[in-house]
Amino acid sequence: MRGLQLRLEGRILRRAFARRPDMRWPLPPELAATLTGARVTSFRRRAKYILMRLDSGWSVLIHLGMSGRMLVEPVGRNEITLHEHIELETDDGWRVGFVDPRRFGSVDLIETAREDQHKLLAGLGPEPLDDAFSVAVLDAALAGKKTPIKAALLDQKIVAGLGNIYVCEALYRAGISPVRHAHTVPGVRSKRLLPAIKQTLTEAIAAGGSSLRDYVQTNGELGYFQHAWKVYGREGEPCPTCQSDDSCDGVRRIVQSGRSTFYCARNQR
DNA sequence: CAAGAATCCTGTCAGC
DNA sequence: TGCTGACAGGATTCTT
């Protein structure tokens, strides 16, 4: 969002083009017409959604899905990148491309005044970095949940914005087993979990995110938080806390609700 | 109702 | 070299 904001905020969109409409959901047919000629007034992020406000009273709701990324580059001599489904051009010579090979990403329009009532935003839980996301709030959300804490933290209704990597990393930092029932976390464990979530996300954002496969920032640079991963993608490696301790088997990989979980069975209980 | 599985789609990589 | 299967930053929708 910040990368888009840098080049788009305050600019008029001179040209907008939707190359194919079949993303996660069909693009609104009026998308290109709504964007063309509009001035971009501000940006906002909610959970994993980007909201781009236009002076016409419309907001553009964007989700990058698994493989989506935004290219931001000067206009001219740029070939269309493969899987570049949406293209924008500003009045001061910048070009934005929404590239998304798997097309799990989505774009929709919503009146700015009704943003939070959009179907995709209405049920979301608290922002993890807000002060309103407290131990008490987390405990209340986990109460009575028999599902594994890993699945609960991926549930955007409980807390909005954590993905697979950061859930694994936050649970490791908090020393909590991913298979533990969510309702048994409130207490000493949630008091560790809450700061672990906030610290993990804060550090990852400062590092420009995690680059796995094809993710890049809008300036084309890789994020570098992947170098700070303690357990994610490290199956078989010694856990950084246990190191050479014989009673530690190192980082394990298991599958929970169809997603990989990485953890250390000795440190996380 | 809650929880887990299936689903959308393309690309990459390991193994044979 | 080429084929097959597993797996990948997500989250809705379907099934149990």
Side-chain angles (χ1 to χ4, degrees):
Chain A
M1 187 206 73
R2 290 173 182 169
L4 292 176
Q5 189 171 30
L6 180 70
R7 296 300 174 199
L8 293 185
E9 199 165 82
R11 305 318 317 175
I12 289 174
L13 301 175
R14 183 148 286 167
R15 202 172 70 83
F17 182 58
R19 196 160 281 105
R20 62 183 297 172
D22 53 336
M23 302 201 48
R24 177 72 168 84
W25 291 283
L27 294 181
E30 65 278 24
L31 178 65
T34 303
L35 290 165
T36 303
R39 186 183 294 277
V40 179
T41 54
S42 62
F43 280 84
R44 177 193 168 207
R45 180 197 57 74
R46 173 74 171 112
K48 297 173 191 170
Y49 295 92
I50 296 168
L51 286 147
M52 179 172 80
R53 277 85 166 256
L54 307 175
D55 61 355
S56 57
W58 287 97
S59 292
V60 186
L61 181 68
I62 302 165
H63 195 298
L64 299 179
M66 293 272 261
S67 57
R69 62 195 160 104
M70 291 289 178
L71 293 180
V72 180
E73 55 191 7
V75 170
R77 66 169 173 66
N78 305 301
E79 291 175 30
I80 302 302
T81 305
L82 192 62
H83 304 301
E84 188 174 315
H85 309 311
I86 298 173
E87 207 181 344
L88 302 176
E89 226 174 272
T90 67
D91 58 345
D92 66 342
W94 287 85
R95 204 179 77 86
V96 172
F98 186 0
V99 180
D100 185 12
R102 295 177 74 179
R103 305 206 309 282
F104 289 175
S106 62
V107 177
D108 201 5
L109 293 169
I110 178 90
E111 294 95 320
T112 302
R114 303 180 48 241
E115 275 177 359
D116 289 315
Q117 294 158 52
H118 191 284
K119 196 186 171 200
L120 296 170
L121 303 188
L124 291 170
E127 285 291 323
L129 296 180
D130 271 6
D131 289 340
F133 182 55
S134 61
V135 172
V137 167
L138 177 61
D139 285 0
L142 298 178
K145 291 231 166 272
K146 212 187 160 188
T147 195
I149 186 64
K150 163 76 188 306
L153 294 179
L154 282 175
D155 182 348
Q156 306 293 298
K157 295 190 288 296
I158 291 181
V159 52
L162 290 176
N164 202 35
I165 292 174
Y166 302 126
V167 168
C168 291
E169 293 297 312
L171 286 172
Y172 174 78
R173 289 181 185 217
I176 298 170
S177 166
V179 301
R180 169 176 285 277
H181 291 333
H183 69 86
T184 69
V185 170
V188 288
R189 289 184 179 81
S190 63
K191 289 188 183 66
R192 298 199 305 264
L193 180 56
L194 188 95
I197 289 170
K198 293 186 186 246
Q199 285 165 18
T200 302
L201 288 178
T202 302
E203 290 173 27
I205 290 166
S210 300
S211 287
L212 173 72
R213 299 160 192 282
D214 47 12
Y215 170 78
V216 286
Q217 302 176 69
T218 52
N219 59 11
E221 290 175 13
L222 299 176
Y224 53 89
F225 192 71
Q226 65 275 15
H227 304 299
W229 293 347
K230 308 281 194 221
V231 288
Y232 188 87
R234 295 190 178 277
E235 183 181 14
E237 293 181 32
C239 141
T241 309
C242 306
Q243 287 295 349
S244 57
D245 194 311
D246 288 343
S247 65
C248 177
D249 299 335
V251 177
R252 288 188 194 171
R253 175 183 174 274
I254 59 172
V255 175
Q256 291 179 287
S257 45
R259 321 273 322 261
S260 287
T261 301
F262 297 89
Y263 74 110
C264 169
R266 181 168 176 270
N267 276 308
Q268 295 177 250
R269 302 196 160 273

